[in-house]
Amino acid sequence: MVRFFLLMVLTLLAPTARTADKTKVPVYKTPRDVFIAKKKALEAKDWRTLHRLYSKDSQKRVLTENLTGTWYFASGKVPGLGKVDAEIQQAADQLLTKHGFPKKKRESLKVPKQGTKAERAFFARLAETIKDGESLTVGFSNLMIKLIPASQLSPGDPKDLKVTITGDRALGIVPVKIGNKKAYDLRTHFKKVGQGWKLYHPRPSDENRPN
């Protein structure tokens, strides 16, 4: 279960594009360059910088998934995990209320079965109504980080990253260690955008494709 949450952190902690901050994003010439930037942002817990590393289409999917996670945290019970800590539940409730989904409104909505296309579509529609997606995702990131020890936050050593590039997509695989032992291989997806590379968050239908 710790690995499940760690993968969620390393994959989803990225604010969305809906922000008034127009800070220009550096152009990263290689997937390895953007991976290094991701590592630095994660270790600094700098979610606002991290979001700028993702492609725009990825940012929309990340917002939907972060809204989903916040929703289940606020319900007090996460599928596959069980009961949520009261402090995290309260923080999630406050975050959703801030973004237009108070408890009374949430209770009036029927969430489709967890893990289905209908569920993804349901939360995608709700995500479209959120005016400040970056703020919600920063809040979600701060909730998630409470569940993961700081020592487990690194996405791996860039020196160990192996990248396969296919057209405008790339897949990076790096071994992640917990303590001195390898725990698992972490897959990081990349997408060529203009003259540089961005992090890419695959659509659910893409998750089993090579890149």
Side-chain angles (χ1 to χ4, degrees):
M1 191 54 64
V2 171
R3 179 184 172 186
F4 166 78
F5 274 107
L6 180 57
L7 288 172
M8 283 189 69
V9 168
L10 298 181
T11 304
L12 299 181
L13 294 190
T16 69
R18 295 183 181 187
T19 172
D21 188 343
K22 301 300 182 181
T23 303
K24 289 187 177 180
V25 182
V27 175
Y28 297 97
K29 296 295 186 181
T30 69
R32 189 176 303 275
D33 290 340
V34 73
F35 182 87
I36 291 171
K38 173 187 179 180
K39 177 180 172 68
K40 291 179 179 179
L42 278 169
E43 292 177 343
K45 302 178 184 178
D46 185 355
W47 316 133
R48 296 182 188 278
T49 293
L50 185 58
H51 104 270
R52 300 181 177 97
L53 303 180
Y54 279 79
S55 63
K56 289 184 178 180
D57 53 338
S58 296
Q59 292 165 352
K60 291 182 67 175
R61 288 191 287 278
V62 167
L63 174 58
T64 296
E65 294 187 15
N66 288 341
L67 172 61
T68 305
T70 307
W71 196 284
Y72 283 122
F73 278 136
S75 75
K77 190 175 182 180
V78 177
L81 175 64
K83 191 175 180 180
V84 175
D85 178 82
E87 180 182 350
I88 292 178
Q89 182 181 0
Q90 182 180 18
D93 175 70
Q94 292 172 347
L95 185 60
L96 289 174
T97 298
K98 175 182 176 181
H99 290 281
F101 300 106
K103 185 176 181 179
K104 187 174 181 179
K105 182 175 181 178
R106 297 197 306 271
E107 290 176 342
S108 71
L109 299 172
K110 184 177 180 180
V111 180
K113 184 178 179 180
Q114 193 266 338
T116 63
K117 290 183 178 179
E119 182 204 38
R120 291 194 294 271
F122 171 83
F123 283 111
R125 289 193 297 271
L126 295 185
E128 288 294 329
T129 70
I130 296 175
K131 295 180 180 180
D132 187 357
E134 177 175 295
S135 175
L136 183 140
T137 306
V138 167
F140 175 77
S141 301
N142 287 328
L143 288 177
M144 288 294 295
I145 207 65
K146 294 178 181 179
L147 302 171
I148 302 298
S151 61
Q152 297 181 22
L153 189 56
S154 173
D157 191 330
K159 294 184 296 184
D160 298 327
L161 180 69
K162 295 182 180 180
V163 178
T164 301
I165 298 176
T166 306
D168 66 348
R169 300 280 188 86
L171 174 65
I173 298 178
V174 63
V176 174
K177 296 180 180 180
I178 296 179
N180 295 320
K181 296 182 179 180
K182 175 183 172 181
Y184 55 88
D185 288 325
L186 180 68
R187 295 160 63 96
T188 301
H189 296 265
F190 307 90
K191 182 178 181 179
K192 186 75 176 291
V193 179
Q195 300 301 310
W197 287 88
K198 295 277 193 178
L199 296 173
Y200 178 70
H201 187 60
R203 296 183 297 269
S205 59
D206 289 340
E207 288 177 354
N208 294 319
R209 292 171 58 181
N211 54 65

